[in-house]
């Protein structure tokens, strides 16, 4: 059972740390409340708070955002959880006379800390940025205002992705990149950087107006969080984390001292999120072990005192392993999603959707399981993407003991319900405050910490499940045989069949839930996580609820909010642990915020929509019926998708092959990017980089599919990899579009790219076989020198060559239409490509060199059959020679000669569109 008082106290520390730089947002917006007089001397609220919270240099207050933090938290108090009153552990009640250890002061005084809790937030703030003592002192004396062309109002956030790897040709300088993020709420469009001169202009008034607009949107968004959830601190904080991301993802956290060691490439969100995680872990490390907090305060103060460098107490403070980095990794994803040893293909589409959804769901709930076991808030989880999560915890004996117990519980669940087909490994790594320093060294302490973290996860992959443990044996064997009353599951072929889905179709409970999840994903937008099963709400029908508890949690799909306070009764009782919005973006520019914590655990699903007469003819016969009976908004099956690349000729004939493309890809060498590519790596930068790479596939890709490629099933996409299924032709075009958009997303950084494998297949093949084909194709692309490649129609080429081949396909299509090129002529070209490729082999056959003469002869014969209506013999011959030369230049020269067998990519792309 979660220790609610300890969890609530941890949430309060997290809130103070998460909001410590709220003043940067408010001050740049120039909120009017700061300038209101508050005393008889005419002092404004800002004047008073500057004296209380801001450091000074040469008689002038610096970092005045700290004053605005106090002002803005006070303004938001009516919309926040109860942060006043007697029960504010570990803080003193807000406003108590003579006591300044309140939440608002802990947040606002991070540049002038005095109390233990203020030093906790201040230390976390500095560690998140990777500061050394001397660096922070210089930063603390840097003004963050002024009238320069680019100051803290006008500077826009740099992109981390542009600075990865070697400096690019054309960059203005290593310290001044070319791209910025627009100051807009999080949306599929706003995550893309734009040229600096587009969004970064030296006009304070205009810049402040933009911040004020964003501030007002943030306030409106804050009001959307259900009021009834405020009393449930862990639940509310999870919601607020998504709100904070939406409106601060593009606000640069640090703008003072740009050009030195400060680079405005970390958002306010990523900095404050990692600060909150560090603050909670640091506070809990000392508080849980009963340390003398006055002594700890002095220890923290000494860490940042230049006069005490090298003294025993500061050395101990920097080198004590106070933190525990906890990393979770979902292994066996491929087998889990594509495993198919059963005897039925019924419900295949729903099962595929449900299984891919389960990967994200299981990883999210495993992270919640760890957080609850350790009494940590949602913001202690700094990364969750593509089956991996990272949590920062206090390094105490109690933490390690509870973590071991949680791993055993996860193991038992996976052994009982998947027989070890997959699982989640949870590994931990102790870290010192000194490990979070960045330094300008090739191997900085934080770089080395990151390397050790990756190595610990690789080691864990070799030691999955404690199969000799008592819990593991019980999960595998106790009562298992008795559960096979109806035989084995008809879907996975091994689990006990316990649910009858259709007449005579018995499946395992997990398979039944996966199929239901696949159905509900297409109908609902919200997911509730509870600790006990729900009955019907307010006398309504029983909720869409999974049968099987997951790690002790129950999962409910819902689209409607409970009339009495938006699930308020569930929140009040503590039964509601999480409420997640997993809806897809409704537009490319709309803010991704609806009042609930957002999780990108859904993917785009193609739907039929309103079927017109043409569509009905296209899909006729799919259900073995002469006419097609469609249901609006019904998800398409793979059979529907296979027909979506067919076209209707003017003569009323459907042409084009009926097939699917399976697209699998991942970012090349992303591990090296994380470990070696960042300039001055810090905890905040690591978290930001993970979030940003993930966002391309989880935020932008679903929006792209919905708008431009509506026939695409996103089986999974997130982290650094993706697996898509769609109509064969549109999926090939989607692959190219993704490559182009990813290049734009990473600010044209040639050091970051991905490779893909495309496999073309009929829709009747089992999903597992389709996945194997795509995996093989991806492997071939990865084998290309330098990667950054694509495999299509069995040929692996660089993306540059693929772009050229798509141009060649378009040219071939034009010639074929203009000159009515025969099928026989075009298919003969396939043989010539093989012969041309053979000439480049180490020991080619001499006969291969004949392809040119064969091509010339066949092309001449073709030309001689044209222009028979031209009466003038000389003119007729000139036209035939021009045609011969044009076909020779385009097909032989630009096509076969240059690309060899890979020219088949262009040929097949065209020919497949012409088949009956």
């Amino acid at each position: 059972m979660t220790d609610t008082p300890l969890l609530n106290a941890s949430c309060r520390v997290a809130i103070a740390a998460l909001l410590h730089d709220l003043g940067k947002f408010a001050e740049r917006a120039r909120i009017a409340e700061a300038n209101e007089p508050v005393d008889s001397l005419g002092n404004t609220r800002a004047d008073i708070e500057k004296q209380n919270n801001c450091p000074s240099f040469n008689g002038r207050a610096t970092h005045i955002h700290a004053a605005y933090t106090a002002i803005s938290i006070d303004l938001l108090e009516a919309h926040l959880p109860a942060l006043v009153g007697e029960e504010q552990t570990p803080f003193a009640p807000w406003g108590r006379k003579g006591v300044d250890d309140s939440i608002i002061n802990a947040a606002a005084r991070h540049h002038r800390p005095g109390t233990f809790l203020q030093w906790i937030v201040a230390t976390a703030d500095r560690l998140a940025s990777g500061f050394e003592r001397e660096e922070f002192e210089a930063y603390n004396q840097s003004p963050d205002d002024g009238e320069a062309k680019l100051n803290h109002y006008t500077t826009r956030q740099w992109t981390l992705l542009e600075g990865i790897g070697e400096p690019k040709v054309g960059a203005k300088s290593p310290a001044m990149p070319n791209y910025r993020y627009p100051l807009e709420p999080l949306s599929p469009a706003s995550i893309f950087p734009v040229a600096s001169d587009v969004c970064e202009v030296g006009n304070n008034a205009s810049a402040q107006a933009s911040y004020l607009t964003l501030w007002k949107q943030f306030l409106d968004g804050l009001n959307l969080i259900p009021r009834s959830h405020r009393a449930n601190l862990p639940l509310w904080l999870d919601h607020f984390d998504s709100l904070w991301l939406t409106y601060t993802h593009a606000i640069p956290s640090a703008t003072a001292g740009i050009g030195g060691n400060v680079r405005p490439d970390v958002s306010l969100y990523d900095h404050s999120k990692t600060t909150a995680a560090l603050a909670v872990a640091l506070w809990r490390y000392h508080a849980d072990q009963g340390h003398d907090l006055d002594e700890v305060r002095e220890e923290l103060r000494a860490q940042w005192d230049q006069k005490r460098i090298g003294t025993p107490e500061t050395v101990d403070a920097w080198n004590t392993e106070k933190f525990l980095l906890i990393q979770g990794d979902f292994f066996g994803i491929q087998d889990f999603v594509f495993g198919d040893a059963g005897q039925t293909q019924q419900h295949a589409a729903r099962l595929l959707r449900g299984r891919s959804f389960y990967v994200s769901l299981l990883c999210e709930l495993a992270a919640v399981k760890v957080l609850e076991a350790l009494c940590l808030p949602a913001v202690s989880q700094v990364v969750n993407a593509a089956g991996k999560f990272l949590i920062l915890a206090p390094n105490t004996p109690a933490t390690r003991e509870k973590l071991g117990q949680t791993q055993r519980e996860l193991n038992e669940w996976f052994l009982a319900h998947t027989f070890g087909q997959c699982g989640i490994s949870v590994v931990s790594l102790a870290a010192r405050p000194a490990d979070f320093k960045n330094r300008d060294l090739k191997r900085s302490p934080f770089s080395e910490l990151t390397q050790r973290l990756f190595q610990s996860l690789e080691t864990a992959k070799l030691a999955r499940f404690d199969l000799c443990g008592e819990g593991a044996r019980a999960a595998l064997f106790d009562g298992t045989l008795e559960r096979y009353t109806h035989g084995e599951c008809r879907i996975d072929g091994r689990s006990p069949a316990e649910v009858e889905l259709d007449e005579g179709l018995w499946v395992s409970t997990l398979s039944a839930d996966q199929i239901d999840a696949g159905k509900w994903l297409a109908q609902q937008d919200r997911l509730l996580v509870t600790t006990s099963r729900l009955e019907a709400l307010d006398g309504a029908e029983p909720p869409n609820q999974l049968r099987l508890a997951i790690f002790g949690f129950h999962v409910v799909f819902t689209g409607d909010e409970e009339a009495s306070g938006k699930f308020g009764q569930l929140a009040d009782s503590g039964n509601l642990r999480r409420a997640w919005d997993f809806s897809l973006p409704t537009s490319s520019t709309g803010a991704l915020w609806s009042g609930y914590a957002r999780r990108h655990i859904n993917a785009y699903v193609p739907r039929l929509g309103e079927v017109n007469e043409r569509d009905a003819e296209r899909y006729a016969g799919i259900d073995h019926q002469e006419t097609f009976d469609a249901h609006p908004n019904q998800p398409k099956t793979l059979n529907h998708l296979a027909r979506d690349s067919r076209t209707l000729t003017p003569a009323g004939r459907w042409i084009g092959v009926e097939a699917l493309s399976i697209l699998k890809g991942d970012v090349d060498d992303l591990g090296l990017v994380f470990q070696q590519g960042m300039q001055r790596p810090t905890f905040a930068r690591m978290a930001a980089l993970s979030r940003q790479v993930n966002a391309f596939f989880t935020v932008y890709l679903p929006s792209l599919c919905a708008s431009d490629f509506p026939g695409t099933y996103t089986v999974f996409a997130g982290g650094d990899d993706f697996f898509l299924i769609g109509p064969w032709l549109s999926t090939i075009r989607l692959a190219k579009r993704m490559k182009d958009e990813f290049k734009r997303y990473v600010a044209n950084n040639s050091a970051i790219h991905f490779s893909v494998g495309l496999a073309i297949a009929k829709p009747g093949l089992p999903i597992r076989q389709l996945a194997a084909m795509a995996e093989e194709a991806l492997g071939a692309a990865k084998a290309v020198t330098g990667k950054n490649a694509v495999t299509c129609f069995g040929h692996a080429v660089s993306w540059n060559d693929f772009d050229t081949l798509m141009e060649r396909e378009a040219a071939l299509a034009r010639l074929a239409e203009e000159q009515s090129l025969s099928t026989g002529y075009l298919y003969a070209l396939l043989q010539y490509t093989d012969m041309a490729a053979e000439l480049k082999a180490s020991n080619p056959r001499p006969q291969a060199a004949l392809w040119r003469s064969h091509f010339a002869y066949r092309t001449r014969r073709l030309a001689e059959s044209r222009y028979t209506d031209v009466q003038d013999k000389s003119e007729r011959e000139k036209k035939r020679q021009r045609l011969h030369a044009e076909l020779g230049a385009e097909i032989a020269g630009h096509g076969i000669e240059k690309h060899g067998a890979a020219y088949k990519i262009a040929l097949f792309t065209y020919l497949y569109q012409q088949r009956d």
Side-chain angles (χ1 to χ4, degrees):
M1 181 66 180
T2 300
D3 186 340
T4 302
L6 181 57
L7 178 56
N8 284 342
S10 299
C11 287
R12 295 186 188 101
V13 173
I15 290 171
L18 195 65
L19 297 180
H20 79 284
D21 272 345
L22 175 64
K24 291 183 177 179
F25 193 176
E27 192 276 329
R28 294 172 196 174
R30 305 304 294 170
I31 58 173
E33 293 84 353
N35 297 315
E36 294 176 355
V38 294
D39 62 21
S40 59
L41 299 176
N43 289 315
T44 65
R45 179 70 187 275
D47 293 331
I48 300 298
E49 295 299 345
K50 286 178 187 177
Q51 297 174 29
N52 293 334
N53 302 295
C54 299
S56 62
F57 182 66
N58 290 335
R60 179 173 179 267
T62 66
H63 295 78
I64 60 175
H65 68 268
Y68 278 77
T69 291
I71 297 168
S72 51
I73 294 180
D74 202 8
L75 291 173
L76 299 181
E77 188 270 329
H79 308 285
L80 301 176
L83 301 180
V84 296
E86 290 301 313
E87 181 44 58
Q88 294 302 315
T89 306
F91 297 97
W94 194 342
R96 177 181 288 180
K97 187 175 181 180
V99 176
D100 65 357
D101 214 6
S102 63
I103 290 180
I104 188 170
N105 287 337
R109 295 185 181 175
H110 57 283
H111 284 283
R112 289 184 61 187
T115 70
F116 163 69
L117 290 169
Q118 290 167 16
W119 269 108
I120 288 289
V121 174
T123 298
D125 171 36
R126 301 170 195 187
L127 292 179
S129 299
F131 278 125
E132 295 277 4
R133 265 179 291 242
E134 298 84 350
E135 287 179 325
F136 183 77
E137 188 64 26
Y139 172 72
N140 217 24
Q141 295 172 357
S142 301
D144 58 356
D145 58 0
E147 298 300 326
K149 178 181 179 181
L150 292 179
N151 52 35
H152 67 299
Y153 299 123
T154 55
T155 295
R156 294 293 174 260
Q157 185 181 320
W158 301 359
T159 166
L160 278 169
L161 295 166
E162 184 178 6
I164 295 293
E166 296 296 324
K168 300 183 303 302
V169 175
K172 295 176 183 177
S173 73
M176 188 61 64
N178 296 322
Y179 291 87
R180 307 287 186 271
Y181 287 112
L183 190 66
E184 298 172 0
L186 182 71
S187 70
S190 69
I191 63 175
F192 282 80
V194 298
S196 59
D197 55 5
V198 171
C199 68
E200 195 172 57
V201 294
N203 184 310
N204 282 356
S206 175
Q208 291 164 1
S210 297
Y211 268 108
L212 184 58
T213 298
L214 192 65
W215 174 260
K216 291 178 178 179
Q217 292 172 336
F218 166 69
L219 295 183
D220 290 340
L222 183 59
N223 288 326
L224 293 180
I225 300 178
R227 179 181 295 270
S228 58
H229 292 195
R230 293 179 192 170
N232 188 326
L233 268 179
L235 182 65
W236 181 90
L237 187 54
D238 195 29
H239 297 330
F240 184 82
D241 180 51
S242 292
L243 169 72
W244 192 236
L245 167 64
T246 302
Y247 292 100
T248 65
H249 79 105
I251 296 177
S253 174
T255 57
I258 295 175
N261 289 329
V262 175
R263 298 172 58 85
D265 56 5
V266 174
S267 72
L268 185 58
Y269 172 78
D270 292 301
H271 172 69
S272 57
K273 174 79 173 278
T274 49
T275 297
L278 284 160
V280 172
L282 186 59
W283 171 69
R284 287 282 300 278
Y285 173 80
H286 293 294
D288 287 4
Q289 299 183 98
H291 294 166
D292 185 303
L293 302 187
D294 288 333
E295 291 182 1
V296 175
R297 179 195 61 209
E298 293 308 308
E299 172 191 293
L300 296 176
R301 189 196 308 273
Q303 281 185 253
W304 302 97
D305 187 346
Q306 292 191 63
K307 297 178 181 178
R308 300 170 71 176
I309 294 176
T311 60
E313 61 269 26
T314 60
V315 171
D316 287 345
W318 279 105
N319 292 294
T320 300
E321 293 180 329
K322 299 180 179 183
F323 303 104
L324 198 66
L325 291 164
I326 300 170
Q327 190 161 236
D329 180 37
F330 194 123
F331 59 84
I333 290 179
Q334 293 276 87
D335 289 336
F336 181 75
V337 175
F338 303 116
D340 184 15
Q343 305 169 18
T344 180
Q345 285 290 306
Q346 295 183 53
H347 307 286
R350 286 181 179 175
L351 181 65
L352 183 62
R353 287 199 301 273
R355 282 179 170 177
S356 59
F357 166 81
Y358 250 76
V359 172
S360 296
L361 179 63
L362 290 171
C363 198
E364 291 283 356
L365 291 180
V368 174
K369 181 74 172 176
V370 173
L371 291 171
E372 293 219 339
L374 304 181
C375 294
L376 294 173
V379 294
S380 291
Q381 177 185 335
V382 294
V383 172
N384 197 348
K388 292 182 174 61
F389 62 80
L390 179 64
I391 292 171
L392 190 64
N395 182 26
T396 65
T399 296
R400 293 190 293 273
E401 180 181 350
K402 291 177 181 178
L403 193 60
Q405 176 59 36
T406 301
Q407 177 70 86
R408 288 189 290 274
E409 292 178 19
L410 296 179
N411 288 346
E412 290 167 11
W413 191 93
F414 281 106
L415 289 171
H417 301 295
T418 74
F419 292 154
Q421 175 194 41
C422 58
I424 293 178
S425 291
V426 180
V427 298
S428 61
L429 178 68
R432 311 162 302 159
D435 291 326
F436 291 87
K437 298 178 182 179
N438 60 32
R439 293 184 190 162
D440 274 326
L441 302 174
K442 188 170 180 116
R443 297 299 300 172
S444 70
F446 188 76
S447 295
E448 293 173 354
L449 176 63
T450 305
Q451 179 67 32
R452 296 202 308 272
L453 190 61
F454 275 89
Q455 289 173 346
S456 66
L457 193 57
E458 291 301 314
T459 301
K461 291 179 180 180
L462 304 176
R464 299 170 178 173
F465 299 117
D466 180 17
L467 294 179
C468 295
E470 193 64 35
R473 290 197 298 272
L476 281 171
F477 302 115
D478 287 1
T480 300
L481 294 179
E482 290 79 0
R483 295 165 57 198
Y484 282 90
T485 305
H486 299 285
E488 76 280 0
C489 173
R490 292 284 302 280
I491 288 177
D492 70 23
R494 62 175 178 277
S495 303
E498 299 172 310
V499 178
E500 187 177 24
L501 279 186
D502 302 318
E503 185 176 355
L505 179 62
W506 284 85
V507 301
S508 69
T509 306
L510 179 58
S511 292
D513 277 351
Q514 289 168 341
I515 291 170
D516 281 343
K519 175 178 67 176
W520 296 333
L521 280 171
Q523 302 170 348
Q524 309 291 356
D525 291 330
R526 192 170 292 116
L527 185 148
L528 308 181
V529 178
T530 64
T531 54
S532 61
R533 291 189 64 80
L534 298 188
E535 302 301 328
L537 298 174
D538 292 339
E541 290 295 319
N544 296 328
Q545 191 165 197
L546 298 180
R547 303 170 182 82
L548 188 64
I550 302 175
F551 315 141
F553 300 113
H554 297 271
V555 175
V556 181
F557 289 79
T558 177
D560 299 322
E561 298 169 336
E562 183 188 357
S564 58
K566 303 180 179 179
F567 312 110
Q569 184 177 356
L570 292 175
D572 287 341
S573 68
N575 188 16
L576 182 61
R577 295 308 177 90
R578 295 290 190 271
W580 291 331
D581 169 26
F582 61 81
S583 61
L584 294 170
T586 56
S587 74
S588 63
T589 57
L592 295 177
W593 171 246
S594 66
Y596 291 82
R598 186 169 182 83
R599 293 295 188 273
H600 302 290
I601 54 179
N602 195 2
Y604 180 75
V605 175
R607 302 173 187 275
L608 285 168
E610 294 294 336
V611 176
N612 56 33
E613 183 177 347
R614 175 172 169 162
D615 289 333
E617 184 179 343
R618 181 199 303 272
Y619 300 132
I622 281 182
D623 298 323
H624 307 293
Q625 299 176 2
E626 292 185 7
T627 59
F628 180 66
D629 182 20
H631 301 281
N633 211 35
Q634 173 184 336
K636 290 184 178 182
T637 67
L638 299 184
N639 288 316
H640 292 113
L641 300 184
R643 294 192 179 185
D644 278 351
S645 286
R646 290 168 61 83
T647 57
L648 190 65
T649 67
R653 185 167 56 94
W654 286 97
I655 61 172
V657 68
E658 186 174 328
L660 301 168
S661 272
I662 303 90
L663 171 62
K664 191 174 191 303
D666 62 47
V667 179
D668 297 317
D669 301 320
L670 187 62
L672 291 177
V673 168
F674 272 82
Q675 295 175 55
Q676 302 174 10
M678 282 188 285
Q679 297 183 39
R680 298 181 62 83
T682 66
F683 192 37
R685 284 192 176 99
M686 182 196 71
L689 187 60
S690 175
R691 179 183 63 79
Q692 289 173 358
V693 172
N694 182 62
F696 179 84
F697 301 108
T698 58
V699 174
Y700 174 69
L701 181 57
S703 177
L704 175 64
C705 290
S707 62
D708 294 2
F709 299 91
T712 306
Y713 259 110
T714 309
V715 180
F716 60 77
D720 68 334
D721 63 348
F722 48 93
F723 187 102
L724 313 173
I725 298 177
W728 74 271
L729 181 58
S730 69
T731 305
I732 290 175
R733 291 171 177 166
L734 170 60
K736 182 183 183 306
R737 178 72 174 277
M738 286 177 64
K739 181 267 299 182
D740 292 338
E741 294 296 278
F742 191 69
K743 181 180 179 180
R744 181 167 69 94
Y745 186 73
V746 301
N748 296 313
N749 187 345
S750 59
I752 310 176
H753 42 72
F754 61 70
S755 297
V756 305
L758 281 156
I760 316 298
K762 292 290 186 179
L765 288 177
I767 292 296
R768 188 179 186 86
Q769 188 171 342
L770 295 177
M773 293 167 61
E775 183 68 33
E776 182 180 358
L778 177 59
K782 293 286 188 181
V784 172
T785 302
K787 301 181 180 180
N788 194 20
V790 53
T791 299
C792 186
F793 292 110
H795 296 276
V797 296
S798 69
W799 277 114
N800 287 337
D801 284 346
F802 186 78
D803 289 345
T804 302
L805 286 165
M806 290 297 98
E807 294 172 1
R808 301 281 65 80
E809 186 273 332
L812 181 64
R814 176 184 58 80
L815 286 172
E817 181 178 358
E818 291 175 354
Q819 303 299 332
S820 300
L821 300 182
S822 69
T823 301
Y825 176 82
L826 293 171
Y827 272 93
L829 301 178
L830 298 173
Q831 180 183 1
Y832 303 154
T833 64
D834 290 333
M835 295 170 70
E838 187 180 351
L839 285 178
K840 298 179 181 180
S842 58
N843 189 25
R845 294 180 302 114
Q847 296 91 325
L850 295 175
W851 78 264
R852 296 182 184 86
S853 60
H854 289 179
F855 171 82
Y857 171 76
R858 197 174 190 97
T859 302
R860 182 62 189 174
R861 291 287 304 273
L862 174 72
E864 288 175 351
S865 67
R866 301 295 190 267
Y867 307 112
T868 55
D869 58 337
V870 177
Q871 298 299 319
D872 185 274
K873 182 177 180 180
S874 175
E875 183 64 23
R876 184 168 63 246
E877 184 59 25
K878 287 180 181 179
K879 286 180 177 291
R880 288 172 176 173
Q881 288 178 358
R882 283 197 296 269
L883 174 58
H884 187 281
E886 185 177 12
L887 291 174
E890 174 56 42
I891 297 175
H894 297 316
I896 300 175
E897 190 76 56
K898 181 177 180 180
H899 298 285
Y903 186 59
K904 288 181 180 178
I905 294 175
L907 287 171
F908 279 132
T909 301
Y910 173 74
L911 290 170
Y912 275 28
Q913 296 177 66
Q914 313 308 314
R915 285 189 180 177
D916 290 336

